[in-house]
C-alpha cells in the first residue's frame, strides 16, 4: 500500500454538533504521526473512522491501505492490518488470563484467546517475551504484573502480528516518568519500519521517530499539520 490512511474533506457530526469538518489527512507508508488535541476535540472519533467502529466512515471519502471504505471489506479485514493500544483496551481487557494468552489473542484481534495457537505462533510469542524481558511472567495473570509491564504486554499484543499500521493511543497514561522514558525508547527502537499514529497530549511523551503532527484544535473543526521539531521533543 502507498497510504495507510487517506481522508478527503471528512466531516463528522454528533446530533447537530460538528465534531470536525474538512479533514484532509494522508498517512503514507512508513510515516510517523502524532495525533494531538484537547479532551473532546475528536481524537477518539477520528481513530474510530480508521478502526472501522464508526458508521460515519461510510458517509465520507476515506481510504485505508489504498482501498475505499465500504468497498466490501469487513471490520475484521481492517483490524487484521492494525495493531492498537489504548488505556481503554488495557483497563477493560480480561486480566484473569495469562500474559501468554493475552499476547496470543493479538493474532485474532479478540479480547481473549479462543483459538488454538500454532507452534509457530507460540514460538513467536516466546521470542517477543524474551526481547522485552518478560519470559518469567509468561504464565502469570496480567493483574499480577505492575502497570508498566501490563502496558508492555499490550504493546507486544499489538506488534505480534506485524501490523501494517500501529496506533498507540495515550500509551503512557498511568506510567511514571521512568516507565514513560523506557516505553518511548522501545517505540523508537521497534517502530523504525512501522507506519505509526501516536496519540498524546504531551510533546515530551512522543518518541523521537515521530516527525509529523496532526492537531485537532479544541472546540474547532480545523486540523493543522506541520513538521515536528525532534530536538524540542528530545
Amino acid at each position: 500500500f502507498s497510504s495507510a490512511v487517506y481522508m478527503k474533506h471528512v466531516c463528522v457530526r454528533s446530533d447537530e454538533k460538528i465534531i470536525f469538518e474538512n479533514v484532509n489527512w494522508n498517512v503514507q507508508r512508513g510515516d510517523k504521526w502524532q495525533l494531538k488535541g484537547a479532551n473532546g476535540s475528536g481524537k477518539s472519533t477520528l481513530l474510530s473512522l480508521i478502526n472501522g467502529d464508526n458508521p460515519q466512515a461510510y458517509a465520507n471519502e476515506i481510504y485505508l491501505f489504498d482501498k475505499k471504505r465500504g468497498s466490501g471489506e469487513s471490520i475484521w479485514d481492517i483490524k487484521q492490518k492494525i495493531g492498537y493500544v489504548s488505556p481503554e483496551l488495557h483497563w477493560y481487557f480480561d486480566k484473569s488470563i495469562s500474559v501468554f494468552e493475552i499476547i496470543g489473542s493479538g493474532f485474532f484481534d479478540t479480547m481473549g484467546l479462543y483459538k488454538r495457537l500454532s507452534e509457530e505462533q507460540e514460538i513467536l510469542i516466546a521470542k517477543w517475551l524474551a526481547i522485552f524481558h518478560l519470559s518469567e511472567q509468561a504464565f502469570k495473570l496480567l493483574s499480577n504484573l505492575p502497570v508498566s509491564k501490563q502496558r508492555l504486554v499490550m504493546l507486544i499484543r499489538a506488534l505480534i502480528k506485524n501490523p501494517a499500521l500501529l496506533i498507540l493511543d495515550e500509551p503512557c497514561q498511568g506510567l511514571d516518568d521512568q516507565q514513560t522514558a523506557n516505553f518511548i525508547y522501545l517505540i523508537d527502537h521497534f517502530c523504525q519500519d512501522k507506519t505509526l499514529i501516536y496519540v498524546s497530549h504531551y510533546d515530551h511523551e512522543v518518541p523521537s521517530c515521530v516527525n509529523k503532527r496532526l492537531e485537532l484544535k479544541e472546540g474547532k473543526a480545523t486540523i493543522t499539520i506541520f513538521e515536528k521539531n525532534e530536538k524540542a521533543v528530545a
Side-chain angles (χ1 to χ4, degrees), residues 38-229:
N39 290 334
S41 62
K43 298 190 302 299
S44 295
T45 300
L46 190 66
L47 291 179
S48 72
L49 296 174
I50 300 171
N51 284 328
D53 298 324
N54 191 322
Q56 293 200 48
Y58 301 101
N60 283 282
E61 189 171 355
I62 299 174
Y63 300 82
L64 299 180
F65 311 106
D66 296 336
K67 294 183 179 180
K68 193 175 189 302
R69 285 301 316 273
S71 60
E73 81 290 354
S74 73
I75 187 174
W76 298 110
D77 292 330
I78 295 170
K79 289 183 179 295
Q80 183 59 36
K81 297 181 177 68
I82 299 174
Y84 181 69
V85 174
S86 73
E88 291 75 22
L89 178 65
H90 178 186
W91 296 126
Y92 290 110
F93 212 94
D94 185 357
K95 296 181 178 61
S96 67
I97 60 177
S98 73
V99 167
F100 199 92
E101 291 174 303
I102 287 173
I103 295 172
S105 72
F107 287 113
F108 313 108
D109 301 297
T110 55
M111 294 293 282
L113 185 59
Y114 308 111
K115 296 182 179 180
R116 181 184 293 274
L117 294 168
S118 69
E119 182 179 356
E120 291 80 7
Q121 288 172 330
E122 291 182 348
I123 291 172
L124 188 58
I125 294 172
K127 286 182 177 179
W128 275 101
L129 285 169
I131 289 170
F132 281 78
H133 306 290
L134 290 171
S135 297
E136 293 184 359
Q137 285 77 36
F139 298 103
K140 292 184 178 180
L141 301 183
L142 187 68
S143 57
N144 291 338
L145 270 61
V147 171
S148 58
K149 289 189 176 180
Q150 290 184 26
R151 198 60 58 84
L152 291 183
V153 170
M154 299 306 294
L155 176 61
I156 298 173
R157 179 184 180 272
L159 291 170
I160 196 68
K161 60 183 176 181
N162 192 26
L165 171 64
L166 186 63
I167 300 176
L168 302 181
D169 185 359
E170 300 287 355
C172 296
Q173 189 179 103
L175 304 184
D176 63 29
D177 290 344
Q178 186 58 54
Q179 292 167 340
T180 296
N182 291 341
F183 190 90
I184 291 171
Y185 171 82
L186 290 169
I187 297 303
D188 274 326
H189 184 75
F190 286 105
C191 296
Q192 289 296 324
D193 62 345
K194 293 290 183 188
T195 306
L196 176 66
I197 297 175
Y198 192 99
V199 184
S200 179
H201 292 288
Y202 309 110
D203 292 346
H204 69 276
E205 291 186 357
V206 179
S208 61
C209 66
V210 175
N211 59 4
K212 296 180 180 180
R213 179 186 298 163
L214 184 148
E215 185 171 4
L216 292 171
K217 296 290 187 178
E218 49 186 57
K220 298 179 181 178
T222 59
I223 289 181
T224 57
I225 301 174
F226 53 92
E227 293 294 324
K228 182 171 68 65
N229 186 334

Side-chain angles (χ1 to χ4, degrees), residues 11-22 219-221:
C11 177
V12 172
R13 293 179 171 84
S14 177
D15 297 325
E16 297 301 318
K17 179 184 177 182
I18 296 178
I19 305 300
F20 49 72
E21 61 182 350
N22 199 31
K220 298 179 181 178

